[in-house]
Amino acid sequence: MSDFDGRLARRHADELIVGLVSISDRASQGTYQDQGIPALREWLGQALASPWQDAARLIPDEKNVIVATLAELVDRVGCDLVLTTGGTGPARRDVTPEATLAVATREMPGFGEQMRQISLRFVPTAILSRQVAVLRETPDHAALIINLPGQPKAIKETLEGLRDEQGNVAAPGIFAAVPYCIDLIGGPYIETRPEVVKAFRPKSALRNKG
């Protein structure tokens, strides 16, 4: 996996191109070590069984910069999925949701609802989180953009879900729905490692139905 600029020719028909965007004034200025992008790369490396690569961006909490970055990753780089981390709280500098909605063609509210439900199992302040998920569609391409929490532990929990002491899924993670969503918007067919997160598709959408 590596960063790239410009529209990338996929090395494989089912290669997923993921935009990773960490939004932080301090990290973008070099006064704080970014944890979001490394956490996302590590989790995706564990969860994805299909080929993938990423384009990473570390940017400040500036709405116009976030808007431009999201548009670039979808329209020019050709990302199928963009995951952002940071900037989703109620502080005045937290403008990630507004920037995400500004580039959207349609909202996908279920993702934000489920993320808050997972986080509420740990902290009551999860209700202060304003994460959104949207689609950005152009005439020849579409992508799913999801705002994630800022902390690595919360990123893992919301993507992967929660398991009980017996290892059974207690709360589904949001990534279980991502592969089928990307199917529906014309992206590559993504397979996951079920021991990390099991992608859900209706039987009619499965490639290997045996």
Side-chain angles (χ1 to χ4, degrees):
M1 289 74 69
S2 61
D3 295 335
F4 51 83
D5 292 298
R7 193 89 172 185
L8 186 78
R10 297 175 193 270
R11 294 191 295 264
H12 186 281
D14 285 332
E15 184 174 56
L16 177 71
I17 302 175
V18 187
L20 305 178
V21 185
S22 187
I23 300 159
S24 167
D25 286 332
R26 290 192 300 153
S28 65
Q29 294 165 0
T31 60
Y32 173 81
Q33 185 174 359
D34 174 57
Q35 298 179 347
I37 290 171
L40 287 169
R41 280 190 176 135
E42 180 181 5
W43 189 86
L44 290 168
Q46 295 171 350
L48 292 175
S50 301
W52 67 284
Q53 61 181 296
D54 70 74
R57 303 288 186 268
L58 177 57
I59 59 175
D61 292 280
E62 297 287 350
K63 183 180 177 181
N64 63 327
V65 176
I66 303 169
V67 167
T69 300
L70 297 178
E72 177 227 355
L73 287 171
V74 176
D75 301 354
R76 191 165 71 84
V77 176
C79 292
D80 309 291
L81 172 67
V82 178
L83 302 175
T84 76
T85 176
T88 59
R92 294 197 178 191
R93 293 289 293 173
D94 291 336
V95 293
T96 301
E98 286 75 19
T100 303
L101 292 169
V103 302
T105 51
R106 287 186 285 170
E107 292 186 53
M108 300 292 290
F111 286 98
E113 292 166 4
Q114 181 62 8
M115 282 190 278
R116 282 180 281 277
Q117 285 300 312
I118 291 171
S119 296
L120 277 167
R121 290 171 175 252
F122 299 98
V123 290
T125 51
I127 60 174
L128 303 179
S129 173
R130 302 186 303 114
Q131 289 113 316
V132 300
V134 305
L135 300 180
R136 178 173 174 84
E137 300 154 299
T138 66
D140 64 347
H141 184 62
L144 173 63
I145 304 172
I146 305 174
N147 301 155
L148 295 172
Q151 296 301 316
K153 181 175 182 290
I155 290 172
K156 177 182 170 67
E157 290 165 350
T158 53
L159 288 172
E160 189 172 318
L162 306 175
R163 296 180 184 270
D164 61 22
E165 293 180 357
Q166 289 72 43
N168 300 312
V169 175
I174 63 165
F175 204 86
V178 167
Y180 187 49
C181 180
I182 291 178
D183 290 352
L184 294 173
I185 62 175
Y189 190 90
I190 306 166
E191 296 184 280
T192 62
R193 295 186 176 93
E195 65 272 20
V196 179
V197 61
K198 185 175 181 180
F200 177 83
R201 289 179 171 92
K203 290 183 178 179
S204 61
L206 294 172
R207 283 192 177 175
N208 301 312
K209 301 179 183 179

